Amino acid sequence: MDNTHAWRSAWSLAEGVTYLNNGSFGPTPREVSQARRQWLDRIEADPHDFLVRQLGPCQAECRRRLADLVGTAAENLALVENATVAMNVVADSVELRPGDEVLVNDHEYGAVLRIWERACRHADARLVVQPLHVPITGAEEVVETLFSAATERTKLAVFSHVTSPTAIVLPVEALCRRARELGIATCIDGPHALAMLDVDLDRIACDYYTVSCHKWLCAPLGSGFLYVHPRRQATVEPPLLSWGRALEGDAASWRDEFNWVGTRDPSAFLAVPAAIDFLTKIGVGTFRDHSHTLACYARHALSERIGARPLVPDSQEWYGSMISLCIAGGETETLQRALWEQHRIEIPIFAWQGQRLLRPSCHLYNGRDDIDRLAEASAALLKC
């Protein structure tokens, strides 16, 4: 039975909009938004009491729920606004010396590349961008290709769990295993993996993992976390320094500097358990099966209708709730604007390595009719 209509009613999406961009900005379900408003009311009732006396246990519960979701101890997580903030923390905490190298690949998110370009420039270190050519056919190919660019000067390898422009699930456990063999630290950019995939950080055993919760988990904008392995926690420093203190009910920890980085609204963090509850109630497996089935349907429908070319094998090992397909003809911005202005279809189109990628990303509120609408609109605009 298709429950898409009932699921869609759980969100506040505008009538007439085909929203295929959960991978960029996931809309928050109504009940999660309501939970956030309730937290705001509680804060406003007595800001001093809440921020000074109540916030610690509330944030501890958020960390505990997230830790259960990603297979680690709550002590290893610090709450930050998003993965970009978390990645900047890592860049400020990893000591780079002149001549050191940071290894990335050409599928990485643009902001991540900019962060490490600046970190390397300030340290007189070198950012090495290794191409991972598509189509990709196997995990060993990814591992061998990336680390063929490693040298004795490589200090850190930074890679996505799920790449942003190309929507590829990378073999992070194998990548981290090879990095450990080579004595290289690892930082994983993980915004797209949370909820879309089964994330087990203790098993992955990376050094750092950065997350935004507003994508597949559908928590409010401005909620995320940084995971730091115990072996690295003593060296972590936030880019913003304020009072930083142990909150009421908390023992002193490496996370203390992240508790108070100036006065801020903590309601987005505090509503994260409501987002976990929402997805759990429907079923995480139900969400994953539904969204992957739609991404698979998009792969075949767009290949057939407009000749789109996939970048990876047709397997859940390589893509989850979103998929990027290479399309021909036209200008990227022109097509994306036309899909929105003429058809009210919200979807990202990327110019990447001389190719043009269309990236439909799906959640519970999407159905096959959304993909059909995209295929027909794209065909009409591309004159296929």
Side-chain angles (χ1 to χ4, degrees):
M1 180 179 177
D2 187 355
N3 294 315
T4 303
H5 180 74
W7 288 333
R8 185 179 172 98
S9 68
W11 277 265
S12 303
L13 289 162
E15 195 68 34
V17 171
T18 300
Y19 199 78
L20 290 166
N21 195 19
N22 197 95
S24 294
F25 313 106
T28 307
R30 297 176 193 272
E31 66 183 69
V32 180
S33 295
Q34 177 61 25
R36 184 180 188 181
R37 283 191 290 270
Q38 290 172 349
W39 281 111
L40 276 171
D41 289 343
R42 185 170 162 183
I43 294 165
E44 294 299 341
D46 186 339
H48 181 93
D49 178 60
F50 189 89
L51 295 174
V52 174
R53 304 183 187 99
Q54 299 183 43
L55 182 60
C58 295
Q59 287 195 164
E61 173 64 7
C62 177
R63 288 196 306 271
R64 184 189 70 77
R65 295 293 304 279
L66 283 168
D68 288 346
L69 191 63
V70 297
T72 193
E75 290 73 20
N76 298 331
L77 305 183
L79 299 178
V80 296
E81 284 78 359
N82 50 50
T84 298
V85 172
M87 190 64 71
N88 274 276
V89 172
V90 179
D92 276 17
S93 302
V94 173
E95 184 181 2
L96 295 175
R97 299 180 182 276
D100 283 345
E101 295 176 351
V102 175
L103 177 61
V104 298
N105 66 80
D106 62 346
H107 293 245
E108 290 309 314
Y109 187 51
V112 170
L113 295 176
R114 294 189 72 214
I115 289 166
W116 288 103
E117 283 169 356
R118 185 176 73 172
C120 288
R121 184 172 68 251
H122 287 177
D124 199 20
R126 178 171 173 248
L127 183 67
V128 178
V129 183
Q130 173 71 347
L132 297 179
H133 299 296
V134 293
I136 288 172
T137 58
E140 185 177 352
E141 170 195 350
V142 173
V143 174
E144 295 303 324
T145 301
L146 180 64
F147 286 104
S148 68
T151 72
E152 69 277 1
R153 296 183 297 275
T154 304
K155 179 95 174 200
L156 177 74
V158 181
F159 44 85
S160 293
H161 199 153
V162 182
T163 63
S164 181
T166 51
I168 298 171
V169 178
L170 293 182
V172 293
E173 286 187 54
L175 288 166
C176 288
R177 187 162 51 248
R178 177 61 60 85
R180 288 193 298 275
E181 292 169 358
L182 296 172
I184 298 170
T186 50
C187 177
I188 300 177
D189 191 37
H192 287 292
L194 184 67
M196 183 203 290
L197 304 175
D198 180 18
V199 178
D200 189 328
L201 292 177
D202 286 350
R203 188 177 68 226
I204 293 170
C206 57
D207 292 279
Y208 311 95
Y209 196 98
T210 70
V211 169
S212 296
C213 297
H214 70 260
K215 296 180 186 289
W216 309 102
L217 187 59
C218 289
L221 293 167
S223 59
F225 68 82
L226 168 66
Y227 161 86
V228 182
H229 193 282
R231 62 178 169 259
R232 302 288 180 183
Q233 290 171 3
T235 63
V236 171
E237 294 184 350
L240 293 176
L241 191 65
S242 182
W243 285 103
R245 58 187 175 83
L247 296 175
E248 187 84 8
D250 268 358
S253 163
W254 68 277
R255 298 184 315 272
D256 291 349
E257 291 295 350
F258 298 90
N259 288 334
W260 203 270
V261 289
T263 308
R264 61 180 174 180
D265 174 7
S267 62
F269 301 127
L270 303 180
V272 167
I276 296 172
D277 290 341
F278 172 81
L279 203 57
T280 301
K281 182 169 54 181
I282 293 172
V284 175
T286 298
F287 153 66
R288 290 175 183 166
D289 289 345
H290 176 82
S291 57
H292 176 73
T293 297
L294 280 181
C296 182
Y297 180 69
R299 174 189 177 110
H300 293 287
L302 291 164
S303 296
E304 181 178 313
R305 193 68 182 86
I306 62 172
R309 292 182 289 107
L311 308 179
V312 290
D314 193 2
S315 165
Q316 202 160 358
E317 177 186 359
W318 290 105
Y319 68 97
S321 305
M322 65 180 184
I323 188 165
S324 279
L325 299 161
C326 184
I327 59 175
E331 185 182 327
T332 298
E333 290 184 11
T334 301
L335 178 58
Q336 184 169 355
R337 188 183 309 115
L339 283 168
W340 168 245
E341 292 178 351
Q342 298 178 34
H343 302 276
R344 283 296 182 262
I345 296 173
E346 201 73 83
I347 188 168
I349 303 176
F350 301 102
W352 177 81
Q353 304 303 335
Q355 303 182 68
R356 188 165 59 154
L357 303 179
L358 181 73
R359 193 194 71 184
S361 57
C362 310
H363 213 289
L364 290 164
Y365 52 76
N366 294 118
R368 286 194 172 202
D369 57 329
D370 293 327
I371 304 302
D372 292 339
R373 197 171 299 118
L374 170 65
E376 290 306 312
S378 300
L381 291 168
L382 294 171
K383 300 183 176 13
C384 295

